[in-house]
Amino acid sequence: MAYQFTEVDKLREALCESLETVDRCQEDISSQDVLTRIEKVIERIVIDVSKGEAPVLRLINRSCWNNVRFQESVGLVLKDDVSPKYLHCGKPTSATKFALILKILSVIYKLVQSDSYSTKRDIYYNDPQLFGSQRMLDSIVDDISCMLKVPRRSLHILATSKGFISGDLCYLEEDGTKVDCNSSSTAVSVSSNVNGIRNIVSSAKFILIVEKDATFQRLLDDDFCARLSPCIIITGKGVPDVNSRLMASRLCASTSTAQWYRVPDEALIPFAKADERKISSLRSRSYITCQPTWEREVETMQNLKRKAEIQCLASIAPHFLTRVYLPNKLRYGGWI
């Protein structure tokens, strides 16, 4: 079956020749470093209290795109000169969140110190009345990650994965459990601790990243992975969670980079107002402006004011997407 991937192999060789040698990922912050950073936060609070002053936490404004830059080897990273926001213990509007941050810092410290892990969901259900909502806890964990300037996975708090993966892939979980994704009819949940997986074995020629779960299930039902073996398909079921993005990144050695597929004109639909606002926002983001090909595609979409839903292809014929469109794209090229 290798003959059908001639164009994919050519693309990979061309891309590998043009890529600069970069570190594909940054080393995790050491456990001791995480503990030290937490201790410094608590030390500043103790000093403020000893002076009779109301403690203040300096947080990163996560809603501001000006606080991040795109680094090719790792993706989005915080700038050195970020605009902060301050959380005052003495103000009624922020006192509750201030206390919750200290509570989670305590949980993180114990987890890191004992080299154990917990999910955000487990922490929330230990005291749901305290946190009020899962969203509040999630926001606090992200605030702490930015405040300490460490990857979220280094806090030993895991997110429950929502993504699925299937295809030519086997690996071991951190606890030694073997995971085999080779079933053609079912998918495997993406690991909750992607950073801990090891012994990855795959001969996949490409990874197909599928946005929507319905399309992913259609590919599974039509034995897509068996028909175009060896390959891997993965979905984050809409907006991808951190674990799904990490898994795709870990598997990048199966494929050099993401590619754009041209979509037939008849599959295009007009923009809604929300689409126009979103694409204007995208054009100013650093991970788009530093990629000329991506920037041209976004600019073209903005000028056309049209988008494509991949489900539209199913209206041509029930198996058009899985047996005609995608296989021909992969066999004969046609990407950007």
Side-chain angles (χ1 to χ4, degrees), residues 93-323:
T93 55
S94 57
T96 299
K97 187 172 183 179
F98 188 99
L100 290 177
I101 288 178
L102 293 187
K103 168 65 176 176
I104 297 303
L105 281 173
S106 173
V107 172
I108 292 170
Y109 195 91
K110 292 175 183 176
L111 288 172
V112 175
Q113 195 174 45
S114 61
D115 194 25
S116 54
Y117 292 83
S118 180
T119 66
K120 292 191 291 185
R121 197 157 184 81
D122 285 341
I123 294 172
Y124 170 71
Y125 279 108
N126 280 336
D127 197 341
Q129 290 186 334
L130 175 65
F131 298 108
S133 69
Q134 182 72 59
R135 180 175 294 183
M136 172 62 79
L137 174 61
D138 295 348
S139 175
I140 288 172
V141 171
D142 290 340
D143 279 336
I144 290 174
S145 174
C146 291
M147 178 178 69
L148 300 180
K149 296 185 178 179
V150 301
R152 198 171 72 185
R153 59 184 178 271
S154 296
L155 302 179
H156 286 226
I157 295 181
L158 307 175
T160 303
S161 296
K162 68 171 186 172
F164 287 103
I165 189 167
S166 183
D168 189 286
L169 174 67
C170 293
Y171 60 85
L172 292 180
E173 291 278 12
E174 190 172 36
D175 62 2
T177 302
K178 182 179 180 180
V179 178
D180 188 348
C181 305
N182 277 287
S183 173
S184 61
S185 59
T186 60
V188 174
S189 294
V190 171
S191 172
S192 292
N193 187 10
V194 176
N195 200 50
I197 67 175
R198 51 195 169 87
N199 294 9
I200 297 175
V201 178
S202 176
S203 57
K205 290 288 186 177
F206 65 90
I207 301 170
L208 186 64
I209 299 175
V210 184
E211 179 195 1
K212 296 184 177 178
D213 184 44
T215 304
F216 182 84
Q217 294 301 325
R218 181 181 290 274
L219 295 176
L220 281 181
D221 293 343
D222 208 27
D223 292 335
F224 180 85
C225 289
R227 291 176 183 276
L228 274 78
S229 178
C231 68
I232 297 170
I233 59 174
I234 183 172
T235 181
K237 298 173 67 176
V239 178
D241 57 311
V242 171
N243 291 323
S244 297
R245 299 200 302 267
L246 282 175
M247 179 63 85
S249 179
R250 291 280 317 256
L251 297 175
C252 67
S254 294
T255 180
S256 296
T257 190
Q259 296 300 315
W260 297 84
Y261 287 145
R262 292 197 181 278
V263 178
D265 287 342
E266 57 268 23
L268 300 178
I269 57 179
F271 266 8
K273 290 293 184 183
D275 297 320
E276 294 183 17
R277 291 193 297 268
K278 174 62 72 175
I279 204 162
S280 295
S281 174
L282 281 173
R283 289 201 63 184
S284 64
R285 297 182 186 181
S286 57
Y287 59 85
I288 296 293
T289 57
C290 72
Q291 300 280 354
T293 304
W294 294 16
E295 191 172 26
R296 283 197 301 272
E297 288 301 312
V298 173
E299 182 180 5
T300 299
M301 182 182 287
Q302 187 175 37
N303 292 336
L304 291 174
K305 294 188 177 181
R306 292 188 293 170
K307 64 179 181 179
E309 297 284 354
I310 200 166
Q311 288 87 345
C312 294
L313 300 178
S315 63
I316 300 174
H319 301 291
F320 181 79
L321 172 67
T322 58
R323 300 187 185 181

Side-chain angles (χ1 to χ4, degrees), residues 10-130:
K10 289 180 181 177
L11 175 65
R12 180 186 293 110
E13 290 174 6
L15 290 170
C16 286
E17 289 177 2
S18 64
L19 287 175
E20 296 179 359
T21 303
V22 294
D23 293 328
R24 299 301 300 178
C25 59
Q26 291 179 319
E27 290 294 327
D28 280 345
I29 305 296
S30 70
S31 294
Q32 185 55 54
D33 198 3
V34 175
L35 295 176
T36 300
R37 295 183 189 201
I38 294 175
E39 289 167 359
K40 287 182 178 179
V41 171
I42 302 303
E43 182 182 14
R44 286 195 294 268
I45 292 175
V46 171
I47 291 173
D48 287 341
V49 171
S50 67
K51 292 179 179 179
E53 301 173 356
V56 176
L57 288 173
R58 185 180 186 273
L59 304 180
I60 303 299
N61 187 352
R62 295 188 289 108
S63 63
C64 180
W65 280 97
N66 291 329
N67 281 342
V68 296
R69 60 184 173 83
F70 183 80
Q71 185 174 321
E72 188 173 355
S73 59
V74 294
L76 292 175
V77 295
L78 279 172
K79 292 181 179 178
D80 294 329
D81 54 338
V82 297
S83 57
K85 61 179 182 179
Y86 296 95
L87 199 66
H88 296 263
C89 175
K91 292 185 177 181
T93 55
S94 57
T96 299
K97 187 172 183 179
F98 188 99
L100 290 177
I101 288 178
L102 293 187
K103 168 65 176 176
I104 297 303
L105 281 173
S106 173
V107 172
I108 292 170
Y109 195 91
K110 292 175 183 176
L111 288 172
V112 175
Q113 195 174 45
S114 61
D115 194 25
S116 54
Y117 292 83
S118 180
T119 66
K120 292 191 291 185
R121 197 157 184 81
D122 285 341
I123 294 172
Y124 170 71
Y125 279 108
N126 280 336
D127 197 341
Q129 290 186 334
L130 175 65

